[in-house]
Amino acid sequence: MHREGHIGAALLAYAPVGFVIFVVGFEGAAMAGAVGAGLLAMVPDYDQRVPGISHRGLTHTVWFAALVGIGLGLIGLAIGSNDGILAAIGLGTFGLLVGAVTILSHIAADALTPMGVEPFAPVRDDHYSYDVARAANPIANYALLVLGVIALGLALVAGNAITSVLP
């Protein structure tokens, strides 16, 4: 997929996380996570800019998703450590989720294309391609973007509705 599709997939995958974060009272963090997911959506495709790394190779695996999630989790842990252990654990978990979910959404979106992905390489060579649309298909890319924006919007509206009736 292209940028629009990947941002949409990231927002779609992040929407349930954002909903929970919003409902538990961290509205600003929920919005920041959505922005973070949008910004991270294209990270796996940076492999195209690095010589010697094949496209849809290492950066399109669950291992890379775990690495990004752990990296953001450690950053969250460090930031939260100033406010105590609970804040550190909360921000660390949040960073882990945003990072891993966003990279996994990128992999899932690329699995919609004929080229597909091998998300467990090099451990397993299972290839996943649902052959729904070519990566350059503007209808598929913008449909994913609209779907992601709608899902996130609904998650935040629902979260707001729930929090407004809770004591």
Side-chain angles (χ1 to χ4, degrees):
M1 302 307 287
H2 285 189
R3 179 179 313 280
E4 296 82 7
H6 283 304
I7 291 172
L11 296 177
L12 180 62
Y14 172 76
V17 176
F19 170 78
V20 171
I21 299 302
F22 194 98
V23 169
V24 298
F26 297 102
E27 297 89 356
M31 295 304 295
V35 171
L39 292 173
L40 289 171
M42 292 302 294
V43 167
D45 282 345
Y46 291 169
D47 60 4
Q48 296 177 76
R49 298 178 180 161
V50 179
I53 296 181
S54 62
H55 182 48
R56 293 197 186 180
L58 178 62
T59 61
H60 287 67
T61 65
V62 297
W63 322 117
F64 185 71
L67 180 68
V68 171
I70 290 167
L72 286 180
L74 290 173
I75 291 169
L77 190 67
I79 293 169
S81 67
N82 294 331
D83 295 322
I85 189 73
L86 288 179
I89 291 170
L91 277 176
T93 302
F94 182 61
L96 175 78
L97 282 172
V98 170
V101 164
T102 301
I103 303 304
L104 290 172
S105 76
H106 185 105
I107 296 166
D110 279 349
L112 297 173
T113 68
M115 185 177 173
V117 291
E118 292 183 2
F120 304 107
V123 176
R124 293 177 45 182
D125 62 355
D126 299 347
H127 184 84
Y128 296 90
S129 171
Y130 298 103
D131 200 5
V132 173
R134 295 204 169 281
N137 183 319
I139 295 170
N141 279 288
Y142 282 103
L144 261 178
L145 179 60
V146 168
L147 188 60
V149 169
I150 290 171
L152 180 62
L154 288 174
L156 297 177
V157 167
N160 189 48
I162 289 172
T163 58
S164 67
V165 297
L166 293 176

